[in-house]
Amino acid sequence: MNEIMHMLLENLSAWLEPIGIIAGLFFSGIALRNDTRARRIENHIKIADGYREIWSAQVADPKLDRILLSSVDLVAYPVMPAEDRLVRFIFQNILLAFEARQAGQLGDIGNLEKDVAEFMDHPIPRAVWKEIARFQPETFRKFVETLM
């Protein structure tokens, strides 16, 4: 009996080391999963804050309401600089959401495709897009253009 106990105690260190490594990997995996979830939530909050900041400019300036009108005569009344700037900011924020989602760094943000398609139904966003599309990453450009 003493020999068995002696042998077990002698080999205990040989068993504890792999068990410690496996436990460390297990807990690292849990921490990584929690970190990924927290990063997704943080990214969602940042994108939502960006949208809120952008659209608050539109709320503060009623002249920018024209961006969301379905019938705008752009020949008689071209896109104003403030409208152009606001729409560019919106596209920039959409690009950030698109890239974060593509990289798996953003949780469910609703139906991005539907939001972009509805935005692109308006003449001013379409006109601004025509000016900036060539400067956008190809995957994003294709994403937006399939929704037009």
Side-chain angles (χ1 to χ4, degrees):
M1 186 68 145
N2 281 341
E3 286 179 32
I4 294 174
M5 286 299 275
H6 181 68
M7 190 173 74
L8 284 175
L9 289 174
E10 224 174 68
N11 293 322
L12 185 63
S13 64
W15 283 98
L16 285 179
E17 187 175 335
I19 290 172
I21 291 171
I22 291 169
L25 290 172
F26 176 74
F27 289 117
S28 293
I30 290 173
L32 180 63
R33 190 181 81 189
N34 289 340
D35 183 51
T36 300
R37 185 179 303 141
R39 194 173 31 246
R40 284 181 180 164
I41 291 168
E42 182 181 348
N43 290 341
H44 191 121
I45 291 168
K46 286 180 181 179
I47 288 171
D49 285 347
Y51 274 118
R52 188 173 15 269
E53 186 176 332
I54 291 166
W55 285 108
S56 66
Q58 187 256 342
V59 170
D61 188 354
K63 291 181 281 185
L64 296 174
D65 287 346
R66 198 170 82 112
I67 290 170
L68 297 177
L69 295 178
S70 295
S71 59
V72 175
D73 184 356
L74 293 177
V75 174
Y77 304 100
V79 177
M80 307 271 293
E83 294 168 334
D84 181 84
R85 190 172 39 254
L86 180 65
V87 171
R88 286 173 188 255
F89 286 153
I90 292 168
F91 278 121
Q92 184 179 37
N93 213 44
I94 293 170
L95 171 62
L96 293 173
F98 174 79
E99 288 182 336
R101 188 175 77 173
Q102 293 294 99
Q105 295 299 311
L106 192 61
D108 183 21
I109 58 169
N111 195 342
L112 183 62
E113 291 80 4
K114 182 180 176 192
D115 291 344
V116 173
E118 286 179 8
F119 187 61
M120 294 305 289
D121 277 344
H122 305 291
I124 292 176
R126 270 196 315 271
V128 172
W129 176 255
K130 287 178 185 175
E131 292 177 22
I132 67 170
R134 68 181 185 269
F135 303 112
Q136 304 304 311
E138 184 179 351
T139 55
F140 181 62
R141 193 173 59 246
K142 287 179 180 178
F143 168 76
V144 172
E145 290 174 355
T146 59
L147 299 171
M148 291 176 71

